[in-house]
Amino acid sequence: MTSPATTDDPGPAAPGSVPPAVPAGDSATAPASARADIGFTPEPTLVHERVIDWFEVHARDLPWRAPECSPWGVMVSEVMLQQTPVVRVLPRWQDWMQRWPRPIDLAQAPTAEVLTAWDRLGYPRRALRLQAAAQAMVERHSGEVPDTAETLRELPGVGEYTAAAVACFAFNQPEVVVDTNIRRVHARAFTGHALPGKTYTSAQRRLAADLMPDTAPDAGATACAWNASAMELGALICTARAPQCEICPVADLCAWRAAGSPAPTEEQQTRGQGWAGTDRQVRGAIMAVLRTGDPVERDQLLEALPLPEASPEQRSRCLDSLIRDGLAAQTGALVSLPGA
DNA sequence: AAGCCGGGGGC
DNA sequence: GCCCCAGGCTT
């Protein structure tokens, strides 16, 4: 099919009509641009075309991208994919959709089963919020996934990204979807930076909005194609660690490449959170025990954690915080998943 | 704006 | 061992 990205462009995107890519090291005149503070930025329309065409050939065959996938399936995938890589989500998503194919099915499930099915995807509060969202959909939306970003945003666990992604990918709404992959693609291709930095700034939000293809005839489909394509490019080619510029469809248009692929600045480093010794590690260890099944005595549970470094105070504090979060429950001395 | 919240795989 | 991953929520 023809790319709708250029249907509003009267002039054909002939090579000569577009500012030529600047080969690294070429000090020739680079077109000035209001879009970034560097000497060269690519023509967005050309990037749209290239990246969308690349996507149509190289996109991964993910089940939540199938035409027959329900909005609920899309929403489940988006929540599971919050900070969890695709390869780990795939099997959990399959099980989940088989077991709870509609929002109402999850809404009525015992919370203990929901947390067990979440398995080790991490951040189990997401599972709790997804069930709460399902219950809200039953109560407020006749058991249907809302079809606008604004309404989706009101659901538990649905932030700016997820609301836009579900509205776009499930309902073809022309929302501006910005995830970590897209931020990085924008930073490199258009801003000329190695990495986008830790915080999502208003300038980045503005850039993302400016970059959306404006196509009157089929705005939803084109916006969705661009969002999905840019995301996939960031996931497969324009990766954080070792980008594969050799096979990138917009390597010759990339502002970062044109600038000589400078290394990330101090400001752009992301600095990890640390893991060993944290409450997150201890909470995770407790949840791993509780997921295995039967209620256990509190003292026995806390002593048996495979974390020699964790103090009794930390173990106790973490269990209490899990109970407070609704991820665990205690009756007398017995601790279990909630509702188990 | 910064900190917290899991867990595993890649390098 | 460090870094990253289709973020969200609280302070």
Side-chain angles (χ1 to χ4, degrees):
Chain A
M1 70 170 151
T2 62
S3 169
T6 56
T7 50
D8 64 335
D9 187 346
S17 69
V18 170
V22 177
D26 186 347
S27 61
T29 60
S33 169
R35 187 163 283 104
D37 58 347
I38 59 173
F40 169 77
T41 58
E43 184 61 37
T45 302
L46 185 50
V47 176
H48 295 154
E49 272 187 21
R50 294 262 200 99
V51 178
I52 290 172
D53 287 350
W54 169 86
F55 179 85
E56 288 172 357
V57 175
H58 298 284
R60 290 168 292 182
D61 185 21
L62 302 173
W64 46 84
R65 285 179 178 160
E68 66 270 21
C69 183
S70 66
W72 172 239
V74 173
M75 177 163 174
V76 170
S77 79
E78 292 300 344
V79 173
M80 287 184 171
L81 287 163
Q82 291 167 3
Q83 297 290 280
T84 304
V86 167
V87 285
R88 288 176 51 204
V89 164
L90 271 169
R92 294 297 110 232
W93 184 89
Q94 300 281 9
D95 295 347
W96 195 280
M97 293 309 295
Q98 174 131 16
R99 192 165 185 179
W100 300 300
R102 303 167 301 172
I104 193 172
D105 301 315
L106 182 68
Q108 297 172 343
T111 300
E113 287 184 23
V114 174
L115 290 171
T116 303
W118 192 258
D119 197 37
R120 290 183 284 185
L121 287 180
Y123 297 136
R125 293 195 286 199
R126 290 183 293 162
L128 244 38
R129 290 176 183 141
L130 184 54
Q131 184 176 36
Q135 289 163 349
M137 287 185 261
V138 170
E139 291 170 13
R140 309 203 297 259
H141 304 291
S142 309
E144 302 290 327
V145 177
D147 61 0
T148 68
E150 183 182 3
T151 310
L152 283 158
R153 187 66 183 75
E154 298 168 358
L155 297 171
V158 178
E160 180 177 354
Y161 164 76
T162 303
V166 173
C168 183
F169 301 143
F171 298 106
N172 249 22
Q173 308 267 348
E175 293 292 331
V176 182
V177 177
V178 182
D179 76 326
T180 186
N181 289 310
I182 291 179
R183 287 181 63 221
R184 187 173 53 252
V185 168
H186 292 174
R188 290 198 179 133
F190 292 96
T191 314
H193 293 167
L195 292 172
K198 340 164 199 356
T199 55
Y200 184 36
T201 65
S202 57
Q204 290 175 7
R205 184 180 281 102
R206 197 177 324 116
L207 173 61
D210 287 346
L211 288 175
M212 291 302 291
D214 61 346
T215 51
D218 199 358
T222 308
C224 189
W226 166 239
N227 287 329
S229 303
M231 198 178 304
E232 191 78 340
L233 187 74
L236 298 184
I237 304 293
C238 194
T239 54
R241 204 70 71 77
Q244 298 184 261
C245 302
E246 319 77 43
I247 57 174
C248 177
V250 291
D252 60 321
L253 306 175
C254 178
W256 179 55
R257 294 265 294 172
S261 304
T265 67
E266 191 78 14
E267 185 67 20
Q268 294 162 359
Q269 310 274 2
T270 46
R271 82 165 185 259
Q273 295 176 3
W275 170 244
T278 62
D279 282 6
R280 280 158 64 227
Q281 185 186 30
V282 176
R283 285 166 55 104
I286 294 171
M287 290 301 294
V289 173
L290 296 181
R291 276 196 307 267
T292 62
D294 300 328
V296 284
E297 279 210 46
R298 179 182 176 108
D299 292 343
Q300 181 188 335
L301 164 66
L302 295 185
E303 284 175 30
L305 297 181
L307 298 170
E309 308 295 315
S311 69
E313 292 74 21
Q314 185 183 27
R315 297 168 193 240
S316 190
R317 176 179 74 241
C318 286
L319 176 53
D320 288 340
S321 75
L322 287 171
I323 293 170
R324 209 159 39 240
D325 289 343
L327 289 165
Q330 182 170 353
T331 307
L334 284 183
V335 178
S336 65
L337 293 175

